[in-house]
Structures are given as structure tokens and as C-alpha cells.
Coordinates of all heavy atoms in Angstrom, one line a residue:
M1 N -6.6 -42.5 106.2 CA -5.9 -42.6 104.9 C -4.7 -41.6 104.9 O -4.9 -40.4 105.2 CB -6.9 -42.3 103.8 CG -6.4 -42.8 102.5 SD -7.6 -42.6 101.2 CE -7.1 -41.1 100.4
E2 N -3.6 -42.1 104.5 CA -2.4 -41.2 104.4 C -2.4 -40.4 103.1 O -2.8 -40.9 102.1 CB -1.1 -42.0 104.4 CG 0.1 -41.2 104.7 CD 1.3 -42.1 105.0 OE1 1.1 -43.1 105.7 OE2 2.4 -41.9 104.4
K3 N -2.1 -39.1 103.3 CA -2.1 -38.2 102.1 C -0.8 -38.4 101.3 O 0.2 -38.6 101.9 CB -2.3 -36.7 102.6 CG -3.6 -36.4 103.0 CD -3.8 -34.9 103.2 CE -5.1 -34.5 103.7 NZ -5.2 -33.0 103.9
T4 N -0.9 -38.3 100.0 CA 0.3 -38.3 99.2 C 0.5 -36.9 98.7 O -0.4 -36.0 98.7 CB 0.2 -39.2 98.0 OG1 -1.0 -38.8 97.3 CG2 0.1 -40.7 98.4
E5 N 1.8 -36.6 98.4 CA 2.1 -35.2 98.0 C 1.4 -34.8 96.6 O 1.1 -35.7 95.8 CB 3.6 -35.0 97.8 CG 4.2 -35.5 96.6 CD 4.6 -37.0 96.7 OE1 4.3 -37.6 97.7 OE2 5.3 -37.5 95.8
M6 N 1.0 -33.6 96.5 CA 0.4 -33.1 95.3 C 1.5 -32.7 94.3 O 2.6 -32.3 94.7 CB -0.4 -31.9 95.5 CG -1.2 -31.4 94.3 SD -1.9 -29.8 94.6 CE -3.3 -30.3 95.7
L7 N 1.3 -33.1 93.0 CA 2.3 -32.7 92.0 C 1.8 -31.6 91.1 O 0.7 -31.7 90.5 CB 2.5 -34.0 91.1 CG 3.7 -33.9 90.1 CD1 5.0 -33.8 90.9 CD2 3.7 -35.1 89.2
I8 N 2.6 -30.5 91.1 CA 2.2 -29.3 90.3 C 2.8 -29.6 88.9 O 3.9 -30.2 88.7 CB 2.9 -28.1 90.8 CG1 2.4 -27.8 92.2 CG2 2.7 -26.9 89.9 CD1 3.1 -26.7 93.0
P9 N 2.0 -29.4 87.8 CA 2.6 -29.6 86.5 C 3.9 -28.9 86.3 O 4.1 -27.7 86.8 CB 1.5 -29.0 85.5 CG 0.3 -28.9 86.4 CD 0.7 -28.7 87.8
E10 N 4.8 -29.5 85.6 CA 6.1 -28.9 85.4 C 6.1 -27.8 84.4 O 5.6 -27.9 83.3 CB 7.1 -30.0 84.9 CG 8.5 -29.5 84.8 CD 9.6 -30.6 84.6 OE1 9.5 -31.6 85.3 OE2 10.4 -30.4 83.7
I11 N 6.6 -26.6 84.9 CA 6.7 -25.4 84.0 C 8.1 -25.0 83.9 O 8.7 -24.5 84.9 CB 5.8 -24.3 84.7 CG1 4.4 -24.8 84.9 CG2 5.9 -23.0 83.8 CD1 3.6 -24.0 85.9
K12 N 8.7 -25.1 82.8 CA 10.1 -24.8 82.6 C 10.3 -23.3 82.7 O 9.5 -22.5 82.2 CB 10.6 -25.3 81.2 CG 12.1 -25.3 81.1 CD 12.5 -26.0 79.8 CE 14.0 -25.9 79.6 NZ 14.8 -26.3 80.8
L13 N 11.4 -22.9 83.4 CA 11.8 -21.5 83.4 C 13.1 -21.3 82.7 O 14.0 -22.1 82.8 CB 12.0 -21.1 84.9 CG 10.8 -21.2 85.8 CD1 11.2 -20.8 87.2 CD2 9.6 -20.3 85.3
I14 N 13.1 -20.2 81.9 CA 14.3 -19.9 81.2 C 14.9 -18.6 81.6 O 14.2 -17.5 81.6 CB 14.0 -19.8 79.7 CG1 13.5 -21.2 79.2 CG2 15.2 -19.4 78.8 CD1 12.8 -21.2 77.8
P15 N 16.2 -18.6 82.1 CA 16.8 -17.3 82.5 C 16.8 -16.3 81.4 O 17.1 -16.6 80.2 CB 18.2 -17.7 82.9 CG 18.2 -19.2 83.1 CD 17.1 -19.7 82.2
S16 N 16.5 -15.0 81.7 CA 16.6 -14.0 80.7 C 17.4 -12.8 81.2 O 16.8 -11.8 81.6 CB 15.2 -13.5 80.2 OG 14.4 -13.2 81.3
P17 N 18.7 -13.0 81.3 CA 19.6 -11.9 81.8 C 19.5 -10.7 80.9 O 19.4 -10.8 79.7 CB 21.0 -12.5 81.7 CG 20.9 -13.6 80.7 CD 19.5 -14.1 80.7
T18 N 19.5 -9.5 81.5 CA 19.3 -8.3 80.7 C 20.5 -7.4 80.6 O 20.5 -6.4 79.8 CB 18.1 -7.5 81.3 OG1 18.3 -7.3 82.7 CG2 16.8 -8.2 81.1
T19 N 21.5 -7.6 81.5 CA 22.7 -6.8 81.4 C 23.9 -7.7 80.9 O 23.8 -8.9 81.0 CB 23.1 -6.2 82.8 OG1 23.4 -7.3 83.6 CG2 21.9 -5.4 83.3
E20 N 24.9 -7.1 80.4 CA 26.1 -7.8 80.0 C 26.7 -8.6 81.2 O 27.1 -9.8 81.0 CB 27.2 -6.9 79.4 CG 26.8 -6.3 78.1 CD 26.4 -7.3 77.1 OE1 27.1 -8.3 76.9 OE2 25.3 -7.1 76.4
E21 N 26.7 -8.0 82.3 CA 27.2 -8.7 83.5 C 26.4 -10.0 83.8 O 26.9 -11.0 84.1 CB 27.2 -7.8 84.7 CG 27.9 -8.3 85.9 CD 27.8 -7.4 87.1 OE1 26.9 -6.5 87.1 OE2 28.6 -7.5 88.1
A22 N 25.1 -9.8 83.7 CA 24.2 -11.0 84.0 C 24.4 -12.0 82.9 O 24.4 -13.2 83.2 CB 22.8 -10.5 84.1
K23 N 24.5 -11.6 81.6 CA 24.6 -12.6 80.6 C 25.9 -13.4 80.7 O 25.9 -14.6 80.5 CB 24.7 -11.9 79.2 CG 23.3 -11.4 78.7 CD 23.4 -10.5 77.5 CE 22.1 -9.9 77.2 NZ 22.2 -8.8 76.2
A24 N 27.0 -12.7 81.2 CA 28.2 -13.4 81.4 C 28.2 -14.4 82.6 O 28.9 -15.3 82.7 CB 29.3 -12.4 81.7
A25 N 27.2 -14.2 83.5 CA 27.1 -15.0 84.7 C 26.4 -16.3 84.4 O 26.5 -17.3 85.2 CB 26.4 -14.3 85.8
V26 N 25.6 -16.4 83.3 CA 24.8 -17.5 83.1 C 25.5 -18.6 82.2 O 26.1 -18.2 81.2 CB 23.5 -17.1 82.3 CG1 22.7 -18.3 81.8 CG2 22.6 -16.2 83.2
G27 N 25.5 -19.8 82.7 CA 26.0 -20.9 81.9 C 27.3 -21.4 82.2 O 28.1 -20.7 83.0
Y28 N 27.7 -22.6 81.7 CA 28.9 -23.2 82.0 C 29.7 -23.4 80.7 O 29.2 -23.7 79.7 CB 28.7 -24.6 82.7 CG 28.2 -24.5 84.1 CD1 26.9 -24.2 84.4 CD2 29.1 -24.6 85.1 CE1 26.5 -24.1 85.7 CE2 28.7 -24.5 86.4 CZ 27.4 -24.2 86.7 OH 27.0 -24.1 88.0
K29 N 31.0 -23.4 80.9 CA 31.9 -23.6 79.7 C 31.9 -25.1 79.4 O 31.9 -25.5 78.2 CB 33.3 -23.1 80.1 CG 34.2 -22.8 78.9 CD 35.5 -22.2 79.4 CE 35.6 -20.7 79.0 NZ 36.8 -20.0 79.5
W30 N 31.9 -26.0 80.4 CA 32.1 -27.4 80.1 C 30.9 -28.2 80.5 O 31.0 -29.4 80.7 CB 33.3 -27.9 80.9 CG 34.5 -27.1 80.6 CD1 35.2 -26.3 81.5 CD2 35.3 -27.1 79.4 NE1 36.3 -25.7 80.9 CE2 36.3 -26.2 79.6 CE3 35.1 -27.7 78.1 CZ2 37.2 -25.9 78.6 CZ3 36.0 -27.4 77.1 CH2 37.0 -26.5 77.3
N31 N 29.7 -27.6 80.7 CA 28.5 -28.4 81.0 C 27.3 -27.7 80.4 O 27.0 -26.6 80.7 CB 28.4 -28.4 82.6 CG 27.3 -29.3 83.0 OD1 26.2 -29.5 82.3 ND2 27.4 -29.9 84.2
D32 N 26.6 -28.4 79.4 CA 25.5 -27.9 78.7 C 24.2 -28.0 79.4 O 23.2 -27.3 79.0 CB 25.4 -28.6 77.3 CG 26.5 -28.2 76.4 OD1 27.2 -27.2 76.6 OD2 26.8 -29.0 75.5
V33 N 24.1 -28.8 80.4 CA 22.9 -29.1 81.1 C 22.7 -28.2 82.3 O 21.6 -27.6 82.6 CB 22.8 -30.6 81.6 CG1 21.5 -30.8 82.4 CG2 22.8 -31.5 80.3
A34 N 23.8 -28.1 83.1 CA 23.7 -27.2 84.3 C 23.4 -25.8 83.9 O 23.9 -25.3 82.9 CB 25.0 -27.3 85.1
G35 N 22.5 -25.2 84.6 CA 22.1 -23.8 84.3 C 20.8 -23.7 83.5 O 20.3 -22.6 83.3
T36 N 20.3 -24.9 83.0 CA 19.1 -24.9 82.2 C 18.0 -25.7 82.9 O 16.9 -25.9 82.3 CB 19.4 -25.7 80.9 OG1 19.6 -27.1 81.1 CG2 20.6 -25.1 80.1
R37 N 18.1 -26.0 84.2 CA 17.1 -26.9 84.8 C 16.2 -26.2 85.7 O 15.6 -26.8 86.6 CB 17.9 -28.0 85.6 CG 18.7 -28.9 84.6 CD 19.7 -29.8 85.4 NE 20.7 -29.0 86.1 CZ 21.7 -29.5 86.8 NH1 21.9 -30.8 86.8 NH2 22.6 -28.7 87.4
H38 N 16.1 -24.8 85.6 CA 15.1 -24.1 86.4 C 13.7 -24.4 86.0 O 13.4 -24.5 84.8 CB 15.3 -22.6 86.1 CG 16.7 -22.1 86.3 ND1 17.3 -21.8 87.5 CD2 17.7 -21.8 85.4 CE1 18.6 -21.4 87.3 NE2 18.8 -21.4 86.0
K39 N 12.9 -24.6 87.0 CA 11.5 -24.9 86.7 C 10.6 -24.7 87.9 O 11.0 -24.6 89.1 CB 11.3 -26.4 86.3 CG 11.6 -27.4 87.3 CD 11.5 -28.8 86.7 CE 11.9 -29.9 87.7 NZ 11.1 -30.0 88.9
L40 N 9.3 -24.6 87.7 CA 8.3 -24.6 88.7 C 7.6 -26.0 88.7 O 7.5 -26.6 87.6 CB 7.2 -23.5 88.4 CG 7.6 -22.1 88.4 CD1 6.5 -21.2 88.0 CD2 8.2 -21.6 89.7
G41 N 7.2 -26.5 89.8 CA 6.5 -27.7 89.9 C 7.3 -28.9 89.4 O 8.5 -28.9 89.3
G42 N 6.5 -30.0 89.0 CA 7.1 -31.2 88.6 C 7.8 -32.0 89.8 O 7.7 -31.6 90.9
E43 N 8.4 -33.1 89.4 CA 9.2 -33.8 90.4 C 10.4 -33.1 90.8 O 11.0 -32.4 89.9 CB 9.5 -35.2 89.9 CG 8.3 -36.1 89.5 CD 7.7 -36.7 90.8 OE1 8.2 -36.5 91.9 OE2 6.6 -37.4 90.6
P44 N 10.9 -33.2 92.0 CA 12.2 -32.6 92.3 C 13.3 -33.1 91.4 O 13.3 -34.3 91.1 CB 12.4 -32.9 93.8 CG 11.5 -34.0 94.1 CD 10.4 -33.9 93.1
T45 N 14.3 -32.3 91.1 CA 15.4 -32.7 90.3 C 16.5 -33.3 91.1 O 16.8 -32.7 92.1 CB 15.9 -31.5 89.4 OG1 14.8 -31.0 88.6 CG2 17.1 -31.9 88.5
G46 N 17.1 -34.4 90.7 CA 18.3 -34.9 91.4 C 18.2 -36.4 91.7 O 17.1 -37.0 91.4
E47 N 19.3 -36.9 92.1 CA 19.3 -38.3 92.4 C 18.8 -38.6 93.8 O 19.3 -38.0 94.8 CB 20.7 -38.8 92.2 CG 21.1 -39.1 90.8 CD 22.1 -38.1 90.3 OE1 23.2 -38.0 90.9 OE2 21.8 -37.4 89.3
N48 N 17.9 -39.6 93.9 CA 17.4 -40.0 95.3 C 16.9 -38.9 96.1 O 17.2 -38.8 97.3 CB 18.6 -40.8 96.0 CG 19.2 -41.9 95.2 OD1 18.4 -42.6 94.6 ND2 20.5 -41.9 95.1
V49 N 16.2 -38.0 95.5 CA 15.6 -36.9 96.3 C 14.4 -37.4 97.1 O 13.5 -38.0 96.4 CB 15.2 -35.7 95.5 CG1 14.6 -34.6 96.3 CG2 16.4 -35.2 94.7
E50 N 14.3 -37.3 98.4 CA 13.1 -37.7 99.1 C 12.2 -36.5 99.4 O 12.7 -35.4 99.8 CB 13.6 -38.3 100.5 CG 14.3 -39.6 100.3 CD 14.1 -40.6 101.4 OE1 13.2 -40.4 102.2 OE2 14.8 -41.6 101.5
I51 N 10.9 -36.7 99.1 CA 10.0 -35.6 99.4 C 9.9 -35.4 100.9 O 9.6 -36.4 101.6 CB 8.6 -36.0 98.9 CG1 8.6 -36.3 97.4 CG2 7.6 -34.9 99.2 CD1 8.8 -35.1 96.5
P52 N 10.2 -34.2 101.4 CA 10.2 -34.1 102.9 C 8.8 -34.0 103.4 O 7.9 -33.7 102.7 CB 10.9 -32.7 103.1 CG 10.8 -32.0 101.8 CD 10.7 -33.0 100.7
S53 N 8.7 -34.3 104.7 CA 7.4 -34.1 105.4 C 7.5 -32.7 106.1 O 8.6 -32.3 106.5 CB 7.2 -35.2 106.5 OG 7.0 -36.4 105.8
C54 N 6.4 -32.1 106.2 CA 6.3 -30.7 106.8 C 6.7 -30.8 108.3 O 6.2 -31.7 109.0 CB 4.9 -30.2 106.7 SG 4.7 -28.6 107.5
V55 N 7.6 -29.9 108.7 CA 8.0 -30.0 110.1 C 6.9 -29.6 111.1 O 6.9 -29.9 112.3 CB 9.3 -29.1 110.4 CG1 10.5 -29.7 109.7 CG2 9.0 -27.7 110.0
M56 N 5.9 -28.8 110.6 CA 4.9 -28.3 111.4 C 3.7 -29.3 111.5 O 3.3 -29.6 112.6 CB 4.3 -26.9 110.8 CG 5.4 -25.8 110.8 SD 6.1 -25.5 112.4 CE 4.7 -24.7 113.2
C57 N 3.2 -29.7 110.4 CA 2.0 -30.6 110.4 C 2.2 -32.0 109.9 O 1.2 -32.7 109.8 CB 0.9 -29.8 109.7 SG 1.1 -29.8 107.9
K58 N 3.4 -32.3 109.5 CA 3.8 -33.7 109.1 C 3.2 -34.1 107.8 O 3.3 -35.3 107.4 CB 3.4 -34.7 110.2 CG 3.9 -34.4 111.6 CD 5.4 -34.2 111.7 CE 5.8 -33.8 113.1 NZ 7.1 -33.2 113.2
Q59 N 2.5 -33.3 107.1 CA 2.0 -33.7 105.7 C 3.1 -33.7 104.7 O 4.1 -33.0 104.9 CB 1.0 -32.6 105.3 CG -0.3 -32.5 106.1 CD -1.1 -33.8 106.2 OE1 -1.3 -34.4 105.1 NE2 -1.4 -34.2 107.3
P60 N 3.0 -34.6 103.7 CA 4.0 -34.6 102.6 C 4.0 -33.2 101.9 O 3.0 -32.6 101.7 CB 3.6 -35.7 101.7 CG 2.3 -36.2 102.2 CD 1.9 -35.5 103.4
M61 N 5.2 -32.7 101.6 CA 5.4 -31.4 101.0 C 5.3 -31.6 99.5 O 5.4 -32.7 98.9 CB 6.7 -30.7 101.4 CG 6.7 -30.5 103.0 SD 8.1 -29.7 103.6 CE 7.6 -28.0 103.4
T62 N 5.2 -30.5 98.8 CA 5.1 -30.4 97.3 C 6.3 -29.7 96.8 O 6.6 -28.7 97.3 CB 3.8 -29.7 96.9 OG1 2.6 -30.5 97.4 CG2 3.7 -29.6 95.4
C63 N 6.9 -30.3 95.7 CA 8.0 -29.6 95.0 C 7.4 -28.4 94.3 O 6.6 -28.5 93.4 CB 8.7 -30.5 94.1 SG 10.1 -29.7 93.3
Y64 N 7.8 -27.2 94.7 CA 7.2 -26.0 94.1 C 8.1 -25.4 93.1 O 7.7 -24.8 92.1 CB 7.0 -24.9 95.2 CG 6.0 -23.8 94.7 CD1 4.7 -24.0 94.8 CD2 6.5 -22.6 94.3 CE1 3.8 -23.1 94.3 CE2 5.7 -21.6 93.8 CZ 4.3 -21.9 93.8 OH 3.4 -20.9 93.4
A65 N 9.4 -25.6 93.2 CA 10.4 -25.0 92.2 C 11.7 -25.7 92.3 O 12.0 -26.3 93.4 CB 10.6 -23.5 92.5
T66 N 12.4 -25.7 91.3 CA 13.8 -26.2 91.2 C 14.6 -25.0 90.7 O 14.3 -24.5 89.6 CB 14.0 -27.5 90.4 OG1 13.1 -28.5 90.9 CG2 15.4 -27.9 90.4
I67 N 15.6 -24.6 91.4 CA 16.5 -23.5 91.0 C 17.9 -24.1 90.7 O 18.5 -24.8 91.5 CB 16.6 -22.5 92.1 CG1 15.2 -22.0 92.5 CG2 17.5 -21.3 91.6 CD1 15.3 -21.2 93.8
D68 N 18.3 -24.0 89.5 CA 19.6 -24.6 89.1 C 20.8 -23.7 89.5 O 20.6 -22.5 89.8 CB 19.6 -24.7 87.5 CG 20.6 -25.8 87.0 OD1 21.4 -26.3 87.9 OD2 20.5 -26.1 85.8
S69 N 22.0 -24.3 89.4 CA 23.2 -23.5 89.5 C 23.1 -22.4 88.4 O 22.6 -22.7 87.3 CB 24.4 -24.3 89.3 OG 24.7 -25.1 90.5
I70 N 23.7 -21.3 88.6 CA 23.6 -20.2 87.6 C 24.7 -20.4 86.5 O 24.4 -20.3 85.3 CB 23.8 -18.8 88.3 CG1 22.6 -18.6 89.2 CG2 23.9 -17.7 87.2 CD1 22.8 -17.3 90.1
G71 N 25.9 -20.6 86.9 CA 27.0 -20.7 85.9 C 28.3 -20.9 86.6 O 28.4 -21.0 87.9
D72 N 29.4 -20.8 85.9 CA 30.7 -21.1 86.4 C 31.1 -20.2 87.6 O 31.7 -20.6 88.6 CB 31.8 -20.9 85.3 CG 31.8 -22.1 84.4 OD1 31.9 -23.2 84.8 OD2 31.8 -21.9 83.1
D73 N 30.6 -18.9 87.5 CA 31.0 -18.0 88.6 C 30.1 -18.1 89.8 O 30.5 -17.5 90.9 CB 31.0 -16.6 88.0 CG 32.0 -16.3 87.0 OD1 33.0 -17.1 86.9 OD2 31.9 -15.3 86.2
Y74 N 28.9 -18.6 89.7 CA 28.0 -18.7 90.8 C 27.4 -20.1 90.9 O 26.2 -20.4 90.8 CB 26.8 -17.7 90.6 CG 27.3 -16.3 90.4 CD1 27.5 -15.8 89.1 CD2 27.7 -15.5 91.5 CE1 28.0 -14.5 89.0 CE2 28.2 -14.3 91.4 CZ 28.4 -13.7 90.1 OH 28.9 -12.5 89.9
D75 N 28.4 -21.1 91.1 CA 28.1 -22.5 91.1 C 27.6 -23.0 92.4 O 28.1 -22.5 93.4 CB 29.3 -23.2 90.6 CG 29.1 -24.7 90.6 OD1 28.2 -25.2 89.9 OD2 29.8 -25.4 91.3
L76 N 26.7 -23.9 92.5 CA 26.2 -24.5 93.7 C 26.9 -25.9 93.9 O 26.4 -26.9 93.3 CB 24.7 -24.7 93.7 CG 23.8 -23.5 93.7 CD1 22.4 -23.9 93.5 CD2 24.0 -22.7 95.0
A77 N 27.9 -26.0 94.6 CA 28.5 -27.3 95.0 C 28.6 -28.2 93.8 O 28.1 -29.3 93.8 CB 27.7 -28.0 96.1
D78 N 29.3 -27.8 92.7 CA 29.5 -28.6 91.5 C 28.2 -28.9 90.8 O 27.9 -30.1 90.7 CB 30.3 -29.8 91.8 CG 31.0 -30.4 90.6 OD1 31.0 -29.8 89.6 OD2 31.4 -31.6 90.7
C79 N 27.6 -27.9 90.3 CA 26.4 -28.0 89.4 C 25.2 -28.7 90.1 O 24.4 -29.4 89.5 CB 26.7 -28.8 88.2 SG 28.0 -28.1 87.2
C80 N 25.0 -28.4 91.4 CA 23.8 -28.9 92.1 C 22.6 -28.0 91.8 O 22.8 -26.9 91.2 CB 24.1 -28.9 93.6 SG 25.1 -30.4 94.1
V81 N 21.5 -28.4 92.2 CA 20.3 -27.6 92.1 C 19.7 -27.4 93.5 O 20.0 -28.2 94.4 CB 19.2 -28.3 91.2 CG1 19.7 -28.5 89.8 CG2 18.7 -29.6 91.8
I82 N 18.8 -26.4 93.7 CA 18.1 -26.3 94.9 C 16.6 -26.6 94.7 O 16.0 -26.1 93.8 CB 18.1 -24.8 95.5 CG1 19.6 -24.4 95.7 CG2 17.3 -24.7 96.7 CD1 19.7 -22.9 96.1
N83 N 16.1 -27.6 95.4 CA 14.7 -28.0 95.3 C 14.0 -27.2 96.4 O 14.4 -27.3 97.6 CB 14.5 -29.5 95.4 CG 14.9 -30.2 94.1 OD1 14.4 -29.9 93.0 ND2 15.8 -31.1 94.2
V84 N 12.9 -26.6 96.1 CA 12.1 -25.8 97.0 C 10.8 -26.5 97.2 O 10.1 -26.8 96.3 CB 11.9 -24.4 96.6 CG1 11.0 -23.6 97.6 CG2 13.2 -23.6 96.3
F85 N 10.5 -26.8 98.5 CA 9.2 -27.6 98.8 C 8.3 -26.7 99.6 O 8.8 -25.8 100.4 CB 9.6 -28.8 99.6 CG 10.4 -29.8 98.9 CD1 11.8 -29.8 98.9 CD2 9.8 -30.8 98.0 CE1 12.6 -30.7 98.3 CE2 10.6 -31.7 97.3 CZ 12.0 -31.6 97.4
V86 N 7.0 -26.8 99.4 CA 6.0 -26.1 100.2 C 5.0 -27.1 100.8 O 4.7 -28.1 100.1 CB 5.4 -25.0 99.4 CG1 4.6 -25.5 98.2 CG2 4.5 -24.1 100.3
C87 N 4.5 -26.8 102.0 CA 3.4 -27.5 102.5 C 2.2 -26.8 102.1 O 1.9 -25.7 102.6 CB 3.5 -27.6 104.0 SG 2.1 -28.4 104.8
L88 N 1.3 -27.4 101.2 CA 0.1 -26.7 100.8 C -1.0 -26.7 101.9 O -2.0 -26.1 101.7 CB -0.4 -27.4 99.5 CG 0.6 -27.2 98.3 CD1 0.1 -28.0 97.1 CD2 0.8 -25.8 97.9
N89 N -0.7 -27.4 103.0 CA -1.7 -27.5 104.1 C -1.5 -26.3 105.0 O -2.5 -25.6 105.4 CB -1.4 -28.8 104.9 CG -2.5 -29.0 105.9 OD1 -3.7 -28.9 105.6 ND2 -2.1 -29.3 107.1
C90 N -0.2 -25.9 105.3 CA 0.0 -24.8 106.3 C 1.0 -23.7 105.8 O 1.2 -22.8 106.5 CB 0.5 -25.4 107.6 SG 2.2 -25.9 107.6
G91 N 1.6 -23.9 104.6 CA 2.4 -22.8 104.1 C 3.8 -22.8 104.5 O 4.6 -21.9 104.2
T92 N 4.3 -23.9 105.2 CA 5.7 -24.0 105.6 C 6.5 -24.3 104.3 O 6.0 -25.1 103.5 CB 5.8 -25.0 106.7 OG1 5.1 -24.6 107.8 CG2 7.3 -25.3 107.0
T93 N 7.7 -23.8 104.2 CA 8.6 -24.1 103.1 C 9.9 -24.7 103.6 O 10.3 -24.5 104.7 CB 8.9 -22.8 102.3 OG1 9.6 -21.9 103.1 CG2 7.7 -22.2 101.7
S94 N 10.5 -25.4 102.7 CA 11.9 -25.9 103.0 C 12.6 -26.1 101.7 O 12.0 -26.2 100.6 CB 11.8 -27.2 103.8 OG 11.7 -28.3 102.9
S95 N 13.9 -26.0 101.7 CA 14.7 -26.2 100.5 C 15.9 -27.1 100.8 O 16.4 -27.1 101.9 CB 15.0 -24.9 99.9 OG 15.9 -24.2 100.7
Q96 N 16.4 -27.7 99.8 CA 17.6 -28.5 99.9 C 18.4 -28.5 98.6 O 17.9 -28.4 97.5 CB 17.3 -29.9 100.3 CG 16.4 -30.6 99.3 CD 15.8 -31.9 99.9 OE1 15.2 -31.9 101.0 NE2 15.9 -33.0 99.2
I97 N 19.7 -28.6 98.8 CA 20.6 -28.7 97.6 C 20.7 -30.2 97.3 O 20.9 -31.0 98.2 CB 22.0 -28.1 98.0 CG1 21.9 -26.6 98.0 CG2 23.1 -28.6 96.9 CD1 23.3 -25.9 98.0
D98 N 20.6 -30.5 96.0 CA 20.6 -31.9 95.5 C 21.6 -32.0 94.3 O 21.6 -31.1 93.5 CB 19.3 -32.4 95.2 CG 18.4 -32.6 96.4 OD1 18.7 -33.4 97.2 OD2 17.4 -31.9 96.5
Q99 N 22.3 -33.1 94.3 CA 23.2 -33.4 93.2 C 22.3 -33.9 92.0 O 21.4 -34.7 92.2 CB 24.2 -34.5 93.6 CG 25.3 -34.8 92.6 CD 26.2 -33.6 92.4 OE1 26.3 -33.0 91.4 NE2 27.0 -33.3 93.4
A100 N 22.6 -33.3 90.8 CA 21.8 -33.7 89.6 C 22.7 -33.8 88.4 O 23.4 -32.8 88.2 CB 20.7 -32.8 89.4
H101 N 22.7 -34.9 87.7 CA 23.6 -35.0 86.6 C 22.9 -34.9 85.2 O 23.5 -34.9 84.2 CB 24.4 -36.3 86.6 CG 25.3 -36.3 87.8 ND1 25.2 -37.2 88.8 CD2 26.4 -35.6 88.0 CE1 26.2 -37.0 89.7 NE2 26.9 -36.0 89.2
A102 N 21.6 -34.7 85.2 CA 20.9 -34.6 84.0 C 19.7 -33.6 84.1 O 19.5 -33.1 85.2 CB 20.3 -35.9 83.5
Ligands
ZN1 ZN1 2.5 -28.2 107.0

């Protein structure tokens, strides 16, 4: 029987910058969504994201976190996100940048 990936419940993360410099780095002037999509678990964010298979043991990986672009000054390829995957079987991780419009 083929294993399917495990889904961790989605846990939203909210940036809490503590310095003026950090506060200025967060958010976009012309985009209200980018910069707010940080989370643990849930489905990976983005269009047509394929769940990767582990390079070590070939098991389907689990989306462990999604890290959003930070803001205008620290943008990831035009408001992309980074999806972080982990193999819960052997502990291997992988990440990829994905385009996401919502
Ligand atoms: Zn593995």
C-alpha cells in the first residue's frame, strides 16, 4: 500500500517585529496579502505545488511550514513564498520557492 503524505493542522504565524527597523521591513505598499501568509502545517501555499518525495527514502513529504516574503525590501521573486517540507519517516527536509497570488 502506498503511503500518502500526512497533513499537519494549519497554524497561522503572525510576524511580530520588535524594532523600528524590523517594523519597516514588514509588509508591502501595493500588496495586502503578501507578507501575511506565514504558517506551520496545512497544505503548501501556491499554484500547482507538488508534494515532493523524500530523496532518501522516497516517502511523500509533509508540508511543515510556509514562509512568506517579508516585504518590499526583502521580497522573494515578486511576492513568492517558501514551502518547507519534511520527511516524517527519516527527517530529511527540502524547500522550494512557489508563486502564490492569494
Ligand atoms: Zn525520508
Side-chain angles (χ1 to χ4, degrees):
M1 198 176 98
E2 194 169 316
K3 287 192 182 176
T4 55
E5 77 272 11
M6 185 189 286
L7 188 65
I8 298 170
E10 184 169 315
I11 303 160
K12 191 168 177 56
L13 298 178
I14 299 169
S16 52
T18 54
T19 65
E20 289 307 312
E21 187 182 20
K23 286 172 190 167
V26 171
Y28 286 82
K29 204 173 249 176
W30 306 111
N31 189 328
D32 290 338
V33 176
T36 68
R37 300 167 294 187
H38 308 280
K39 64 182 176 66
L40 300 174
E43 297 283 357
T45 299
E47 280 109 59
N48 307 314
V49 180
E50 294 213 13
I51 305 287
S53 295
C54 177
V55 293
M56 299 302 288
C57 71
K58 310 301 180 201
Q59 296 297 313
M61 300 181 88
T62 295
C63 182
Y64 197 81
T66 301
I67 305 166
D68 202 350
S69 286
I70 297 173
D72 284 310
D73 293 342
Y74 304 97
D75 180 57
L76 295 171
D78 197 15
C79 302
C80 282
V81 301
I82 299 174
N83 286 303
V84 179
F85 298 90
V86 64
C87 175
L88 296 174
N89 188 49
C90 76
T92 297
T93 62
S94 86
S95 65
Q96 60 193 48
I97 285 193
D98 290 296
Q99 187 68 247
H101 293 114

